[in-house]
Amino acid sequence: MDAAKDLLKRAVELDTAQKYSEAMICYEQGVQNLLRQMKDTPSEGARKELRLRAEQYLERAEHLKQLIKEQERPAESVHSLRIAPGSTGYSYEAVFERCLDGNVHSVAVQDPYIRVRHQIYNFVRFCELLVKKCKKLSKISLTTTSGESPSESSQASSLTELQESLRERGVKLEVAYSPTLHDREIRFSNGWIVKLGRGLDYFQKLKGPFTIGFNDFDLRPCHETTIEMYHKLNVKSVKTQ
């Protein structure tokens, strides 16, 4: 019995010191000694008390085992995508496929160039993809820069129209303007962080609307760019109010 007490006391000390691997071993050895002691204990009440203590220590050992496994996993998953100039097959659905699932409640987009007509169209296409793939989506936030030239004069009204359209589908679009914004980044509430060298505007301009690739962006040639995707493991999706 003294051996079991010493082992379990040591296990608690190691556990408190966050030395989980050593603590788990001491817990398991201490529980084994308790179980052996229980067999030699004639009193039913004493056996019941020993069994309860053994179950509690064993439960803690199992918890530490899972904790150790999580600590041994990498801090984040990284994927890098290099798009060559003129290459095809990189529609938003193809690029962002791994980021889109039922755990996405909110998406935050930082892109300074959602200003002129085709850039806003790109953002609409991206929002359509989110609505289609993320069934629990409730919020999209966009941070961009404010357009000032004649070709950018419809920026605010276009985004307002998009806000109203998304609202009809139960999705809130928040738009903020930052004159100093430079980084291009998209954050998904399920833990994915995507850094886009050219933002969402990485497709080449076509000759006209009757050119292959005008509607199907998997067939649209791309500009050269790099897209990096990071995933913070064990991130729990939290619904943004």
Side-chain angles (χ1 to χ4, degrees):
M1 190 63 180
D2 289 341
K5 287 182 178 179
D6 291 341
L7 280 168
L8 293 170
K9 180 181 178 182
R10 179 60 177 159
V12 173
E13 292 173 350
L14 291 167
D15 196 348
T16 302
Q18 298 184 353
K19 298 181 178 180
Y20 297 135
S21 296
E22 298 171 53
M24 183 185 68
I25 294 172
C26 288
Y27 277 128
E28 290 177 341
Q29 292 178 347
V31 167
Q32 290 176 3
N33 285 342
L34 277 181
L35 294 177
R36 283 196 292 267
Q37 180 67 29
M38 188 175 65
K39 293 179 182 179
D40 299 331
T41 301
S43 169
E44 177 61 28
R47 288 200 301 272
K48 185 176 180 181
E49 182 179 349
L50 288 174
R51 186 181 302 110
L52 179 61
R53 291 173 59 190
E55 289 174 354
Q56 291 173 339
Y57 286 124
L58 190 59
E59 183 179 352
R60 180 58 184 171
E62 288 299 318
H63 177 75
L64 291 184
K65 187 178 295 185
Q66 294 301 317
L67 187 61
I68 291 166
K69 286 182 180 180
E70 291 178 3
Q71 290 180 338
E72 289 175 347
R73 296 174 67 186
E76 61 183 16
S77 175
V78 181
H79 301 270
S80 182
L81 177 63
R82 178 76 174 182
I83 299 178
S87 60
T88 59
Y90 296 102
S91 65
Y92 293 148
E93 186 165 1
V95 169
F96 295 102
E97 181 180 13
R98 60 165 48 92
C99 307
L100 308 176
D101 58 37
N103 293 319
V104 176
H105 294 289
S106 61
V107 179
V109 180
Q110 291 186 357
D111 190 331
Y113 294 106
I114 307 295
R115 295 166 53 160
V116 298
R117 190 178 184 86
H118 80 274
Q119 294 168 347
I120 298 172
Y121 276 145
N122 286 341
F123 183 63
V124 172
R125 291 186 183 95
F126 180 69
C127 290
E128 288 175 338
L129 178 64
L130 296 179
V131 170
K132 184 171 68 173
K133 294 293 187 178
C134 306
K135 301 306 181 183
K136 295 182 180 179
L137 182 70
S138 62
K139 178 181 175 181
I140 301 172
S141 61
L142 169 66
T143 303
T144 188
T145 54
S146 179
E148 297 177 355
S149 68
S151 63
E152 300 166 333
S153 59
S154 64
Q155 179 191 32
S157 61
S158 298
L159 291 176
T160 297
E161 182 178 340
L162 178 57
Q163 282 178 318
E164 294 172 355
S165 178
L166 285 168
R167 188 182 301 114
E168 293 174 357
R169 294 180 175 271
V171 180
K172 180 180 181 181
L173 172 61
E174 294 182 346
V175 180
Y177 298 96
S178 170
T180 59
L181 183 67
H182 180 269
D183 292 343
R184 300 160 176 85
E185 176 182 280
I186 301 176
R187 290 178 177 264
F188 299 82
S189 62
N190 61 356
W192 282 104
I193 301 172
V194 182
K195 296 184 179 295
L196 305 101
R198 294 182 60 97
L200 291 172
D201 189 13
Y202 58 84
F203 297 105
Q204 293 184 10
K205 183 178 179 180
L206 299 179
K207 293 180 179 179
F210 303 105
T211 305
I212 294 297
F214 184 81
N215 291 308
D216 189 341
F217 273 44
D218 272 320
L219 301 175
R220 176 79 68 96
C222 297
H223 292 292
E224 181 178 6
T225 190
T226 299
I227 298 175
E228 295 181 341
M229 299 182 176
Y230 306 83
H231 188 271
K232 300 293 183 181
L233 300 177
N234 302 321
V235 171
K236 295 182 179 180
S237 178
V238 179
K239 187 172 182 179
T240 304
Q241 299 298 326

